[in-house]
Amino acid sequence: MRTLIISDVHANLTALEAVLADAEPYDQVWCLGDVVGYGPDPNECIERIQALPQLRCVMGNHDAAILSYIDIEAFNLEARASLEWLETTLKPENRSWLAGLEYRLEFDDITLAHGSPRNPIWEYIMDLSTAKQNMTAFETPICLVGHTHIPCIFKMDGEKRSSTHLYLMPPDDEFTLEQKSIVNPGSVGQPRDHDPRASYLIFDNKENVWVYHRTAYDIEAVQKRILAAGLPIRHASRLAEGW
Ligand code: ZN
Protein backbone atom coordinates (compact mmCIF):
# COMPACT_ATOMS: atom_id res chain seq x y z
CA MET A 1 0.00 0.00 0.00
CA ARG A 2 1.44 3.34 -1.07
CA THR A 3 0.20 6.42 0.76
CA LEU A 4 0.56 9.94 -0.58
CA ILE A 5 0.92 12.55 2.19
CA ILE A 6 0.16 16.18 1.38
CA SER A 7 -0.26 19.36 3.42
CA ASP A 8 -0.91 23.08 3.04
CA VAL A 9 -2.29 22.95 -0.50
CA HIS A 10 -3.58 26.50 0.07
CA ALA A 11 -5.92 26.64 -2.90
CA ASN A 12 -3.12 26.10 -5.43
CA LEU A 13 -4.63 23.68 -7.96
CA THR A 14 -1.65 23.74 -10.35
CA ALA A 15 0.73 22.61 -7.60
CA LEU A 16 -1.76 19.99 -6.41
CA GLU A 17 -2.20 18.54 -9.91
CA ALA A 18 1.60 18.42 -10.36
CA VAL A 19 1.97 16.48 -7.11
CA LEU A 20 -0.88 14.06 -7.92
CA ALA A 21 0.71 13.29 -11.30
CA ASP A 22 4.26 13.02 -9.95
CA ALA A 23 3.27 10.80 -7.01
CA GLU A 24 1.56 8.05 -9.02
CA PRO A 25 0.87 5.28 -8.23
CA TYR A 26 -0.72 5.63 -4.77
CA ASP A 27 -3.57 3.75 -3.05
CA GLN A 28 -4.60 6.29 -0.43
CA VAL A 29 -4.06 9.92 0.56
CA TRP A 30 -3.54 11.65 3.92
CA CYS A 31 -3.96 15.43 3.93
CA LEU A 32 -2.77 17.55 6.86
CA GLY A 33 -5.00 20.59 6.44
CA ASP A 34 -4.99 24.14 5.07
CA VAL A 35 -6.64 23.09 1.82
CA VAL A 36 -7.73 26.73 1.41
CA GLY A 37 -6.31 30.21 2.16
CA TYR A 38 -3.81 32.35 0.13
CA GLY A 39 -4.43 30.76 -3.29
CA PRO A 40 -6.94 31.30 -6.12
CA ASP A 41 -8.54 27.82 -6.44
CA PRO A 42 -10.28 26.93 -3.15
CA ASN A 43 -13.33 25.17 -4.62
CA GLU A 44 -11.30 23.30 -7.22
CA CYS A 45 -8.80 22.06 -4.59
CA ILE A 46 -11.51 20.89 -2.19
CA GLU A 47 -13.34 19.07 -4.98
CA ARG A 48 -10.13 17.43 -6.23
CA ILE A 49 -9.00 16.38 -2.74
CA GLN A 50 -12.31 14.96 -1.56
CA ALA A 51 -12.36 12.65 -4.59
CA LEU A 52 -8.91 11.18 -3.84
CA PRO A 53 -8.77 7.46 -2.90
CA GLN A 54 -9.29 6.55 0.79
CA LEU A 55 -8.78 10.14 1.84
CA ARG A 56 -8.13 11.06 5.46
CA CYS A 57 -7.89 14.80 6.05
CA VAL A 58 -7.59 17.01 9.13
CA MET A 59 -8.51 20.68 9.56
CA GLY A 60 -5.95 23.49 9.33
CA ASN A 61 -6.06 26.99 10.79
CA HIS A 62 -7.13 28.58 7.48
CA ASP A 63 -9.88 25.97 7.09
CA ALA A 64 -11.03 26.70 10.66
CA ALA A 65 -10.95 30.47 10.10
CA ILE A 66 -13.32 30.37 7.14
CA LEU A 67 -15.74 28.40 9.30
CA SER A 68 -15.41 31.13 11.97
CA TYR A 69 -13.99 28.57 14.42
CA ILE A 70 -11.11 30.99 15.01
CA ASP A 71 -11.10 34.75 14.86
CA ILE A 72 -10.00 36.20 11.52
CA GLU A 73 -8.30 39.01 13.51
CA ALA A 74 -5.70 36.44 14.60
CA PHE A 75 -4.29 36.45 11.05
CA ASN A 76 -1.94 39.01 9.50
CA LEU A 77 -3.39 41.57 7.09
CA GLU A 78 -2.64 39.70 3.87
CA ALA A 79 -3.79 36.31 5.15
CA ARG A 80 -6.96 38.06 6.31
CA ALA A 81 -7.51 39.59 2.84
CA SER A 82 -7.47 36.13 1.29
CA LEU A 83 -9.90 34.85 3.95
CA GLU A 84 -12.28 37.73 3.19
CA TRP A 85 -12.09 36.89 -0.53
CA LEU A 86 -12.67 33.23 0.31
CA GLU A 87 -15.81 34.14 2.24
CA THR A 88 -17.41 35.31 -1.03
CA THR A 89 -15.93 32.53 -3.20
CA LEU A 90 -16.37 29.29 -1.28
CA LYS A 91 -19.37 27.19 -2.36
CA PRO A 92 -21.74 26.16 0.47
CA GLU A 93 -21.16 22.45 -0.16
CA ASN A 94 -17.39 22.94 0.08
CA ARG A 95 -17.79 24.88 3.31
CA SER A 96 -19.79 21.92 4.65
CA TRP A 97 -17.00 19.55 3.63
CA LEU A 98 -14.47 21.64 5.58
CA ALA A 99 -16.82 21.69 8.57
CA GLY A 100 -16.79 17.89 8.62
CA LEU A 101 -12.99 17.66 9.09
CA GLU A 102 -11.53 16.51 12.42
CA TYR A 103 -8.76 18.41 14.23
CA ARG A 104 -6.78 15.24 14.80
CA LEU A 105 -6.97 11.63 13.53
CA GLU A 106 -5.37 8.47 14.94
CA PHE A 107 -5.27 5.09 13.15
CA ASP A 108 -2.80 2.28 12.27
CA ASP A 109 0.17 3.61 14.32
CA ILE A 110 -0.23 7.10 12.82
CA THR A 111 -1.51 10.41 14.22
CA LEU A 112 -2.44 13.26 11.86
CA ALA A 113 -2.65 16.89 13.02
CA HIS A 114 -2.19 20.20 11.20
CA GLY A 115 -0.08 22.18 13.69
CA SER A 116 0.95 19.86 16.51
CA PRO A 117 -0.57 16.88 18.32
CA ARG A 118 -1.21 18.92 21.49
CA ASN A 119 -2.54 22.01 19.68
CA PRO A 120 -3.64 20.91 16.20
CA ILE A 121 -4.78 24.30 14.96
CA TRP A 122 -2.25 26.86 16.11
CA GLU A 123 1.08 25.50 17.32
CA TYR A 124 4.07 25.56 14.96
CA ILE A 125 6.70 22.84 15.50
CA MET A 126 9.70 24.81 14.29
CA ASP A 127 12.30 23.98 16.92
CA LEU A 128 13.58 21.14 19.07
CA SER A 129 12.09 22.45 22.28
CA THR A 130 8.53 22.49 20.87
CA ALA A 131 9.08 19.09 19.23
CA LYS A 132 10.26 17.58 22.55
CA GLN A 133 7.23 18.92 24.39
CA ASN A 134 4.95 17.34 21.77
CA MET A 135 6.54 13.87 21.88
CA THR A 136 4.31 12.88 24.80
CA ALA A 137 1.17 14.39 23.21
CA PHE A 138 0.57 11.40 20.90
CA GLU A 139 0.46 7.65 21.54
CA THR A 140 1.35 6.30 18.09
CA PRO A 141 4.98 5.85 16.91
CA ILE A 142 4.57 8.53 14.22
CA CYS A 143 2.77 11.86 14.10
CA LEU A 144 2.44 13.73 10.79
CA VAL A 145 2.06 17.52 10.92
CA GLY A 146 2.07 20.46 8.48
CA HIS A 147 1.54 24.18 9.21
CA THR A 148 5.17 25.39 9.05
CA HIS A 149 5.44 24.63 5.30
CA ILE A 150 8.96 23.32 6.00
CA PRO A 151 9.72 19.61 5.42
CA CYS A 152 11.60 17.95 8.28
CA ILE A 153 11.64 15.14 10.83
CA PHE A 154 12.01 15.35 14.59
CA LYS A 155 13.21 11.95 15.81
CA MET A 156 13.32 10.82 19.41
CA ASP A 157 16.48 8.80 19.95
CA GLY A 158 15.76 6.17 22.58
CA GLU A 159 13.03 6.51 25.19
CA LYS A 160 13.84 10.03 26.34
CA ARG A 161 12.15 12.94 24.68
CA SER A 162 15.13 15.07 25.74
CA SER A 163 17.17 13.24 23.10
CA THR A 164 15.06 14.45 20.18
CA HIS A 165 16.93 15.49 17.01
CA LEU A 166 16.03 17.41 13.88
CA TYR A 167 16.63 15.79 10.47
CA LEU A 168 16.31 17.47 7.11
CA MET A 169 15.76 14.74 4.56
CA PRO A 170 17.30 14.99 1.09
CA PRO A 171 14.71 14.81 -1.72
CA ASP A 172 14.18 11.43 -3.44
CA ASP A 173 16.08 9.44 -0.78
CA GLU A 174 14.31 6.59 0.97
CA PHE A 175 14.35 6.63 4.76
CA THR A 176 12.94 4.56 7.61
CA LEU A 177 11.48 5.68 10.92
CA GLU A 178 12.36 3.30 13.74
CA GLN A 179 12.11 5.88 16.54
CA LYS A 180 9.13 7.89 17.71
CA SER A 181 8.94 10.73 15.18
CA ILE A 182 7.12 13.88 14.16
CA VAL A 183 7.27 14.24 10.37
CA ASN A 184 6.36 17.26 8.23
CA PRO A 185 5.94 16.70 4.46
CA GLY A 186 6.30 20.42 3.63
CA SER A 187 3.73 22.36 1.63
CA VAL A 188 2.18 21.59 -1.74
CA GLY A 189 0.88 25.07 -2.51
CA GLN A 190 3.18 27.53 -0.72
CA PRO A 191 6.62 26.09 0.23
CA ARG A 192 8.59 28.23 2.69
CA ASP A 193 12.02 26.58 2.67
CA HIS A 194 13.32 28.63 -0.28
CA ASP A 195 12.66 25.77 -2.69
CA PRO A 196 9.61 26.82 -4.75
CA ARG A 197 8.80 23.27 -5.88
CA ALA A 198 5.74 21.54 -4.40
CA SER A 199 6.60 19.19 -1.54
CA TYR A 200 5.09 15.82 -0.51
CA LEU A 201 5.82 12.42 1.07
CA ILE A 202 5.17 8.84 0.01
CA PHE A 203 4.92 6.04 2.59
CA ASP A 204 5.12 2.43 1.45
CA ASN A 205 3.89 0.31 4.37
CA LYS A 206 4.92 -2.99 2.77
CA GLU A 207 8.58 -1.97 2.53
CA ASN A 208 8.18 0.32 5.57
CA VAL A 209 10.00 3.12 3.74
CA TRP A 210 9.28 6.80 3.33
CA VAL A 211 10.36 9.03 0.45
CA TYR A 212 10.22 12.80 0.33
CA HIS A 213 9.77 14.43 -3.09
CA ARG A 214 9.72 17.86 -4.71
CA THR A 215 8.09 18.62 -8.03
CA ALA A 216 8.13 21.76 -10.19
CA TYR A 217 4.87 23.29 -11.42
CA ASP A 218 3.74 26.27 -13.51
CA ILE A 219 4.10 29.01 -10.87
CA GLU A 220 3.39 31.85 -13.35
CA ALA A 221 -0.04 30.43 -14.15
CA VAL A 222 -0.95 30.48 -10.45
CA GLN A 223 0.44 33.99 -9.98
CA LYS A 224 -1.77 35.23 -12.83
CA ARG A 225 -4.87 33.72 -11.23
CA ILE A 226 -3.96 35.22 -7.83
CA LEU A 227 -3.67 38.70 -9.35
CA ALA A 228 -6.81 38.28 -11.49
CA ALA A 229 -8.75 37.38 -8.34
CA GLY A 230 -7.55 40.60 -6.67
CA LEU A 231 -5.69 38.70 -3.94
CA PRO A 232 -2.61 40.33 -2.32
CA ILE A 233 0.40 40.53 -4.66
CA ARG A 234 2.59 39.08 -1.90
CA HIS A 235 0.75 35.75 -2.17
CA ALA A 236 1.85 35.64 -5.84
CA SER A 237 5.44 36.86 -5.52
CA ARG A 238 6.40 34.53 -2.66
CA LEU A 239 5.60 31.42 -4.74
CA ALA A 240 8.54 32.05 -7.09
CA GLU A 241 11.01 32.22 -4.20
CA GLY A 242 9.54 29.58 -1.92
CA TRP A 243 9.07 31.67 1.26
ZN1 ZN B 1 -0.60 26.67 5.99
Side-chain angles (χ1 to χ4, degrees), residues 4-219:
L4 165 63
I5 300 141
I6 55 175
S7 189
D8 297 277
V9 171
H10 281 299
N12 183 339
L13 184 66
T14 311
L16 176 62
E17 291 291 5
V19 164
L20 295 177
D22 195 52
E24 293 247 15
Y26 48 87
D27 307 294
Q28 60 179 8
V29 180
W30 301 340
C31 173
L32 306 173
D34 275 4
V35 174
V36 299
Y38 297 123
D41 319 307
N43 291 306
E44 294 82 351
C45 286
I46 289 174
E47 286 155 16
R48 190 73 172 95
I49 285 172
Q50 62 182 318
L52 291 171
Q54 298 193 52
L55 176 75
R56 296 191 208 235
C57 183
V58 290
M59 188 180 293
N61 54 312
H62 286 254
D63 309 320
I66 199 62
L67 299 165
S68 307
Y69 292 176
I70 49 178
D71 193 347
I72 198 165
E73 299 291 321
F75 288 80
N76 69 45
L77 217 59
E78 279 147 332
R80 222 185 296 165
S82 73
L83 286 167
E84 280 159 4
W85 173 83
L86 189 56
E87 188 66 51
T88 62
T89 309
L90 194 61
K91 294 183 194 169
E93 61 268 33
N94 290 337
R95 178 186 292 267
S96 301
W97 182 79
L98 289 176
L101 299 178
E102 305 278 347
Y103 288 121
R104 182 178 147 149
L105 287 174
E106 254 182 68
F107 53 90
D108 303 343
D109 288 348
I110 299 279
T111 300
L112 308 184
H114 178 64
S116 75
R118 71 174 176 182
N119 182 350
I121 289 295
W122 267 126
E123 187 172 44
Y124 290 87
I125 305 183
M126 299 282 272
D127 53 65
L128 275 175
S129 152
T130 313
K132 284 175 192 172
Q133 289 165 35
N134 269 284
M135 282 297 178
T136 49
F138 61 103
E139 304 300 322
T140 56
I142 292 162
C143 178
L144 295 167
V145 299
H147 197 37
T148 65
H149 300 206
I150 294 171
C152 67
I153 308 170
F154 293 94
K155 277 189 194 174
M156 203 165 96
D157 292 338
E159 295 296 301
K160 283 193 185 153
R161 68 179 186 175
S162 58
S163 57
T164 298
H165 296 274
L166 167 66
Y167 292 83
L168 299 173
M169 52 281 201
D172 305 322
D173 268 12
E174 287 187 352
F175 60 91
T176 56
L177 294 172
E178 272 98 32
Q179 306 97 322
K180 191 165 191 179
S181 306
I182 297 172
V183 187
N184 191 321
S187 167
V188 171
Q190 195 195 79
R192 293 183 191 159
D193 59 348
H194 300 284
D195 180 342
R197 296 174 300 166
S199 185
Y200 67 96
L201 279 176
I202 291 283
F203 172 50
D204 184 328
N205 72 342
K206 207 166 127 224
E207 307 293 329
N208 203 27
V209 292
W210 300 72
V211 189
Y212 151 66
H213 290 292
R214 302 300 288 250
T215 188
Y217 68 95
D218 187 352
I219 290 173

